[in-house]
Amino acid sequence: MVAASAALLVLITVAAVVMADRFGGQLSLPRALGCVVRADGEVTLDPEQMANAATISAVGIRRGMPAQAVVVALATAYQESGLRNLAGGDRDSVGLFQQRPSQGWGTPEQIRDPRYAANRFYAALVKVRGWERMRVTDAAQRVQRSAFPEAYQKWADEAGVLSRALVGEATGAVSCTVPRDPVLRGAAAATELSSRLSRDWGSVRTAELAELLGLSLVATDQQAGWQYAHWLVAHADSNGVKRVRFAGLQWTAKAGTWSEVADETLAADRVIAEVFGDA
């Protein structure tokens, strides 16, 4: 036992020295990667889950679905896949909603596209008469026809928190901590971010972004602005997003949180996303 404890202490010490050397001689613990959503409740997700939740919400908003539809969709994906785009599942189930090609949901390749899967879910939901007045689990069950019809209800609260943030009903509600060394940088990051934005949101009004590498989005109102801002933070991990600014607040990859920022040059209807420059 003593030997094991000594060995563990050595490992901890070595790791601490490595971190101190890596971060300029200052000893510090690495930040845990992930996202916290606070909107009349709190939910913690990893980057993959957060990005998928944001995409599901964006597809619903783009379709003109009410917020309750987003709640139902998120609760369903929570239960079916843990908000992960799974390659398989029970029998031939695939993707976020575990939709089955054999039941007419599409090809496996189509269903593995989160946007396609979300669109198919919403299209099925609107065909359910009176879904808006149903419990979350009842509305989801009418679409999914699960062997566990009550299972979706346990995710209703989490889905409600996510929905309030992602449909723009809350301010500065999505905070994510991302790696110090992003997967994408520079023009590649800006291009990929723009492409994903278009795939999720369709046509989005943009403006020139002087001197900074990234995107400048034009929001029709505060709610739309926070829809975009929260989506950008949710997708920061895989798209090299360094900073997001809107309505006097900014999120930075360095801090991982939102804070006030004074920028008189930033128009009130602009959502700015800056990506990391080339190393």
Side-chain angles (χ1 to χ4, degrees):
M1 181 67 70
V2 174
S5 299
L8 178 60
L9 180 60
V10 170
L11 288 174
I12 293 173
T13 303
V14 171
V17 171
V18 170
M19 285 190 293
D21 179 69
R22 180 178 179 182
F23 300 119
Q26 296 182 350
L27 180 59
S28 61
L29 294 176
R31 297 176 300 166
L33 302 183
C35 302
V36 177
V37 181
R38 296 185 178 93
D40 294 331
E42 183 174 309
V43 172
T44 300
L45 300 175
D46 67 26
E48 177 191 358
Q49 293 172 308
M50 189 71 248
N52 285 330
T55 290
I56 290 170
S57 179
V59 171
I61 295 167
R62 183 179 178 183
R63 291 179 63 97
M65 302 294 291
Q68 183 61 15
V70 177
V71 173
V72 176
L74 289 170
T76 302
Y78 248 125
Q79 171 60 25
E80 296 290 357
S81 69
L83 288 171
R84 301 185 190 282
N85 193 16
L86 302 179
D90 180 46
R91 288 172 284 188
D92 61 337
S93 299
V94 179
L96 286 170
F97 298 92
Q98 289 292 277
Q99 294 155 331
R100 298 179 59 190
S102 63
Q103 294 184 347
W105 287 98
T107 67
E109 292 74 19
Q110 288 174 320
I111 299 171
R112 282 295 305 282
D113 179 349
R115 299 151 199 88
Y116 174 92
N119 262 309
R120 287 300 307 270
F121 179 86
Y122 288 120
L125 180 64
V126 297
K127 294 179 181 178
V128 177
R129 181 174 298 179
W131 70 265
E132 304 95 326
R133 299 181 296 277
M134 295 178 180
R135 292 188 306 154
V136 167
T137 198
D138 294 333
Q141 174 63 7
R142 292 288 296 275
V143 175
Q144 299 293 105
R145 302 185 183 281
S146 168
F148 306 97
E150 289 293 319
Y152 305 104
Q153 194 64 32
K154 67 176 176 284
W155 301 109
D157 290 344
E158 287 86 347
V161 172
L162 290 175
S163 176
R164 284 189 289 275
L166 294 171
V167 303
E169 294 176 357
T171 297
V174 178
S175 298
C176 295
T177 301
V178 300
R180 296 173 184 268
D181 186 18
V183 176
L184 294 175
R185 286 178 172 271
T191 299
E192 180 61 19
L193 184 63
S194 179
S195 175
R196 291 199 182 190
L197 184 80
S198 296
R199 293 200 298 272
D200 279 12
W201 292 97
S203 178
V204 177
R205 286 185 60 200
T206 60
E208 292 296 324
L209 186 58
E211 300 179 1
L212 294 177
L213 187 59
L215 300 175
S216 176
L217 310 179
V218 181
T220 55
D221 55 31
Q222 285 281 305
Q223 183 170 357
W226 284 112
Q227 290 170 2
Y228 292 147
H230 289 154
W231 183 94
L232 288 162
V233 174
H235 285 269
D237 178 71
S238 56
N239 291 275
V241 179
K242 178 181 180 181
R243 179 168 65 158
V244 177
R245 285 182 290 161
F246 179 63
L249 295 175
Q250 73 170 3
W251 166 90
T252 64
K254 181 177 181 180
T257 58
W258 290 89
S259 60
E260 293 185 358
V261 58
D263 189 348
E264 297 180 356
T265 65
L266 182 61
D269 64 346
R270 296 292 191 274
V271 183
I272 305 297
E274 180 185 354
V275 300
F276 284 94
D278 292 320

